[in-house]
Amino acid sequence: MNLAVITIASGRHDHLRLQLKGLASSTSQVDQHVVVAMDDPHIARVCPPTTAVIAVDRDGGRLPLAAARNAGARHAIALGADVLIFLDVDCVPSPHLIASYEAVAADHPHALLSGPVAYLPPPSNGGYDLDTLRRSAEPHPDRPALASDEIRELDHTLFWSLSFAVHAGSWTRIGGFYPAYTGYGAEDTDFAQVARSRGIPHLILGGAMAYHQWHPTSDPPLQHLDDILRNGRIYRDRWGRWPMPGWLERFAELGLITRDAGADDWVRVAGRHHAGGVVRRCPP
């Protein structure tokens, strides 16, 4: 079975370096590692010669997260990949992540696979110690805690693109990510809903643990408000409802947006801006 890891990145070079170390330390090795550089000509300097680096440009000034994943998948499949493993640049694979995805993809080639992601505290001055990540990581509270050999079917609404795997045939059935989504939000929710609509189950496997490296963000993600509104409208038009309702309600509580029930829309409140937000360790 030909395995490919696909990472999309713009900046975050230190995160990528630790991910590369994690991949090199895996109990199973992949046949391909594809890094999709989103408007970042310097990533190739970080990667070893065995990593394929392909470039995509920004879309209207926004990072093309959906299109970048599609580009990485096309490249990997063209080189013979049977299983596509997607890891966000800030995710470090546990030693058994690759082997777990490989084994379950062989037994469940028609499923969408996710692995648990545990969140790391800010690194010390010396950075993270790859050998001790598990000791300091905190599991996400909204995902099931699984034994390393446990597999469970999970609602598609709980899919995330931080760490997932899919057989190339199922990827083709889903059709990849809908490329109209640009910037932050909704593209992974849409991807999972397409999978559900095409009868592709969503499984989470306890052995495919990844560790999310700390980086500052805010709660709610104020810096992504305009992306969330734009992508939310695309999702609404495709699926008849708004994604990310929790974030939308938080923005409304801050007076930044208001609900137009007649038009089934959320709109910015003129003249209202908010630069605050609580810094937190991990996204929801």
Side-chain angles (χ1 to χ4, degrees):
M1 185 175 289
N2 188 298
L3 305 176
V5 165
I6 298 163
T7 304
I8 63 173
S10 180
R12 304 277 178 89
H13 293 178
D14 286 341
H15 286 167
L16 179 58
R17 287 186 180 95
L18 192 61
Q19 183 185 97
L20 288 164
K21 288 182 180 178
L23 290 171
S25 301
S26 296
T27 58
S28 294
Q29 295 297 304
V30 297
D31 300 280
Q32 307 169 46
H33 183 209
V34 180
V35 171
V36 185
M38 299 179 291
D39 195 29
D40 185 344
H42 305 297
I43 279 182
R45 302 175 187 173
V46 178
C47 298
T50 53
T51 294
V53 179
I54 61 177
V56 297
D57 296 326
R58 288 181 181 266
D59 185 333
R62 298 178 294 272
L63 292 178
L65 307 181
R69 293 192 185 98
N70 293 346
R74 282 195 302 271
H75 187 89
I77 291 171
L79 294 178
D82 300 305
V83 175
L84 309 174
I85 301 170
F86 291 81
L87 281 177
D88 273 8
V89 68
D90 46 19
C91 286
V92 183
S94 64
H96 299 289
L97 179 145
I98 301 299
S100 295
Y101 275 140
E102 180 181 17
V104 178
D107 292 339
H108 300 275
H110 305 299
L112 179 61
L113 310 178
S114 292
V117 178
Y119 290 83
L120 297 169
S124 65
N125 291 337
Y128 292 114
D129 179 354
L130 193 62
D131 295 328
T132 60
L133 293 183
R134 180 182 294 273
R135 299 178 194 171
S136 59
E138 298 178 3
H140 195 290
D142 295 332
R143 296 300 188 277
L146 304 179
S148 60
D149 60 350
E150 189 176 359
I151 302 170
R152 187 182 303 180
E153 188 160 355
L154 196 63
D155 192 280
H156 289 75
T157 59
L158 294 177
F159 171 79
W160 52 17
S161 54
L162 288 169
S163 170
F164 75 96
V166 63
H167 195 279
S170 294
W171 169 268
T172 301
R173 282 183 61 198
I174 296 170
F177 286 81
Y178 190 60
Y181 294 105
T182 56
Y184 178 91
E187 86 285 350
D188 49 358
T189 308
D190 184 285
F191 180 84
Q193 291 309 304
V194 175
R196 187 211 296 266
S197 73
R198 295 179 183 173
I200 295 173
H202 178 211
L203 305 180
I204 185 168
L205 34 152
M209 176 67 74
Y211 302 103
H212 183 279
Q213 301 175 69
W214 183 90
H215 56 81
T217 185
S218 64
D219 178 7
L222 302 168
Q223 70 275 27
H224 298 305
L225 172 55
D226 291 325
D227 287 352
I228 288 171
L229 291 178
R230 183 186 58 258
N231 287 342
R233 292 185 184 104
I234 295 172
Y235 188 94
R236 175 205 61 193
D237 292 345
R238 282 168 57 80
W239 300 103
R241 61 186 182 277
W242 279 80
M244 302 173 282
W247 287 144
L248 294 170
E249 290 166 6
R250 293 287 302 280
F251 294 140
E253 290 170 2
L254 292 172
L256 299 173
I257 62 175
T258 187
R259 178 82 172 135
D260 182 345
D264 188 20
D265 200 10
W266 289 93
V267 294
R268 288 291 298 260
V269 174
R272 292 300 301 272
H273 302 279
H274 197 285
V278 178
V279 173
R280 53 182 286 149
R281 188 158 63 237
C282 59

